[in-house]
Amino acid sequence: MAAFLNQRCMLMMTLFSLFIVASLSLDDKCAACNVVAAELAVGLFKEKPRNHLDMRHRLDSKGQREGKVIDYRVSELRVVELLDGLCEKMQDYTLDKLASGKQEWVKVGDWDDYVLKIDKQEARAYSKDISSYCGRLLEETEDELAELIKKGSVRTGDVKKVLCHDLSKHCSLSGNSGASDLIIEEPDEDL
């Protein structure tokens, strides 16, 4: 009997924790998607021109190199470098209340020095939420997004449209998408 009650108690605790996790999920997926897209756009903007990838490593019987040269812009390596670490960068973002009372996604340069209008623990929870959302978003759209990047269809200015409207469909093109402007708070650097 005690084992039955123990199992029942564990089942109730599991269901309760699932309810809490579900209630902590992001409410405005469009705004969250736009923040992820903005960070990807920053990665595209900061991308440095690269040489072609030389895949000619073998020599034929005449001593000539065999293989092919791949343009970096259409390579899988470029896609991996753009997307790898993107969701970890999202841990620098949190929801914060603005003076108007609205909540906006903000990039926190330094968690110790940034003055939040919400509790730091709550801000860290939002940070983890946007990071896991990013992981789910990329998992859903990675193949199509990778192909579009390799084709050159994804440019700095249209990442939000491609990722949030066309691929994930988390934002609608008609009317107000619910997307908010991104506020990036960077610490001052001494030169």
Side-chain angles (χ1 to χ4, degrees), residues 7-189:
Q7 285 178 339
R8 193 166 174 92
C9 182
M10 291 297 286
L11 177 65
M12 293 298 286
M13 289 175 63
T14 303
L15 289 173
F16 180 70
S17 64
L18 287 175
F19 174 74
I20 288 175
V21 168
S23 68
L24 289 176
S25 66
L26 296 171
D27 293 330
D28 189 352
K29 289 186 179 183
C30 181
C33 185
N34 283 329
V35 172
V36 173
E39 189 66 34
L40 179 56
V42 167
L44 283 168
F45 180 74
K46 288 183 175 180
E47 193 176 37
K48 304 230 184 306
R50 298 260 313 253
N51 291 335
H52 298 307
L53 302 174
D54 190 353
M55 306 304 285
R56 300 176 297 172
H57 300 293
R58 295 186 314 174
L59 296 176
D60 64 10
S61 62
K62 297 175 186 169
Q64 299 296 316
R65 292 170 58 181
E66 283 185 349
K68 52 183 164 176
V69 176
I70 301 171
D71 183 4
Y72 176 74
R73 304 224 24 100
V74 298
S75 70
E76 189 71 28
L77 177 62
R78 178 177 181 235
V79 173
V80 168
E81 287 178 347
L82 282 171
L83 299 182
D84 193 37
L86 178 65
C87 295
E88 286 81 22
K89 291 177 188 171
M90 299 312 299
Q91 290 182 5
D92 292 339
Y93 289 84
T94 189
L95 271 179
D96 198 11
K97 285 187 180 174
L98 299 177
S100 64
K102 247 173 51 162
Q103 284 191 322
E104 297 277 338
W105 287 105
V106 294
K107 184 171 185 176
V108 178
D110 184 359
W111 283 92
D112 294 328
D113 294 337
Y114 188 76
V115 179
L116 295 166
K117 293 163 189 73
I118 61 172
D119 180 45
K120 270 208 196 272
Q121 188 174 4
E122 184 181 357
R124 288 286 191 182
Y126 285 132
S127 171
K128 289 179 183 172
D129 284 348
I130 189 78
S131 182
S132 19
Y133 168 79
C134 173
R136 289 189 308 272
L137 178 67
L138 288 183
E139 188 176 318
E140 292 171 8
T141 62
E142 188 169 20
D143 294 335
E144 297 91 351
L145 182 60
E147 286 305 312
L148 291 171
I149 290 172
K150 288 194 285 186
K151 287 180 184 175
S153 302
V154 179
R155 302 200 188 281
T156 304
D158 62 348
V159 177
K160 288 180 184 182
K161 180 189 175 300
V162 170
L163 185 60
C164 303
H165 297 275
D166 301 342
L167 294 178
S168 72
K169 310 242 187 295
H170 288 176
C171 300
S172 64
L173 285 174
S174 61
N176 185 7
S177 64
S180 56
D181 290 332
L182 171 66
I183 298 173
I184 298 178
E185 194 67 33
E186 294 288 342
D188 292 334
E189 294 181 18

